[in-house]
Amino acid sequence: MNAHLILIAAAQMSASLLNAYDRITPQVAAQRVAGCGIGTVSVRSDAELDTDVLVVTEAVPIPDQQLACIDKAASFYDVELPPSAQPRFNAIREARSAALMTAEARKWLKAHNLLDRLPKYDPGVTDDAAFGRKVEKLCGADGAVQSRYGPHALSPAWAMHRATNAPIEDGPLACLLNVTWATGFKMGFIGNEQAAPQ
């Protein structure tokens, strides 16, 4: 599957999410995180990943209220905390990110007159394959979630043959991503599948 295509689509879908975060330097973010009352915060650069990580080393108990403060203060930077706090911080950050992604997805769907047409998805109750077919129909993406990988994975064949021929921002792939975020239907991508010879 064309991983570049998926990255472009995800970037297009979440481009406005960056506006939800302050565009600050890692040093400013570190100062703001320190302002949450957790001691000194350093910045570690990861050259391989081309990213900066804010590092909190003080091993004091950090309540959830402080973790929420750290999440907001850190903006879009990754934060490394003592092992006792990291899982709780990750859960807080993931919940906030998911809420932002869902809001952006709903905004996209409303702009494309699809929000009122969303099929209902109830995890563990809704038949996933039937739901996948409804999403395909809504997005004009026949076969997108019908492959040997099941309804929770984008079909590599579909991505190679259909998604590459449509506009990224407003095409079927963008629709699929936004519908799955808005409904809570988990969607995955198969990154190592190769296209069949033509």
Side-chain angles (χ1 to χ4, degrees):
M1 181 172 152
N2 188 340
H4 182 65
L5 170 74
I6 298 303
L7 291 175
I8 291 172
Q12 290 292 337
M13 180 185 166
S14 62
S16 61
L17 287 178
L18 289 178
N19 294 329
Y21 293 98
D22 295 330
R23 297 182 186 227
I24 58 175
T25 67
Q27 292 74 23
V28 170
Q31 289 174 350
R32 286 176 26 175
V33 169
C36 292
I38 47 92
T40 305
V41 179
S42 61
V43 177
R44 176 174 47 83
S45 293
D46 187 328
E48 186 176 327
L49 296 177
D50 191 27
T51 189
D52 294 302
V53 179
L54 308 180
V55 181
V56 176
T57 55
E58 200 155 327
V60 295
I62 305 173
D64 287 352
Q65 185 177 8
Q66 273 184 303
L67 292 175
C69 176
I70 292 167
D71 175 41
K72 290 179 184 171
S75 188
F76 59 88
Y77 292 102
D78 289 333
V79 180
E80 187 177 293
L81 293 157
S84 62
Q86 193 72 54
R88 289 183 297 120
F89 174 79
N90 292 346
I92 288 168
R93 177 156 275 195
E94 287 169 17
R96 185 166 72 104
S97 295
L100 285 170
M101 290 293 287
T102 300
E104 285 299 312
R106 293 180 66 81
K107 182 177 166 184
W108 187 95
L109 291 162
K110 184 175 183 180
H112 290 82
N113 298 316
L114 296 172
L115 187 58
D116 294 334
R117 297 172 48 201
L118 283 182
K120 185 178 183 316
Y121 182 70
D122 189 4
V125 176
T126 303
D127 179 274
D128 290 347
F131 182 83
R133 287 189 294 277
K134 288 178 183 178
V135 172
E136 288 177 341
K137 184 175 180 181
L138 180 66
C139 293
D142 291 340
V145 295
Q146 297 175 34
S147 74
R148 64 182 177 176
Y149 301 106
H152 289 279
L154 184 67
S155 166
W158 181 87
M160 291 298 297
H161 299 292
R162 295 281 310 261
T164 55
N165 298 323
I168 298 293
E169 302 89 10
D170 294 314
L173 181 57
C175 180
L176 287 167
L177 292 173
N178 284 295
V179 168
T180 55
W181 266 108
T183 59
F185 186 77
K186 302 294 184 202
M187 174 72 76
F189 304 98
I190 309 301
N192 296 322
E193 179 78 10
Q194 296 198 0
Q198 300 204 0

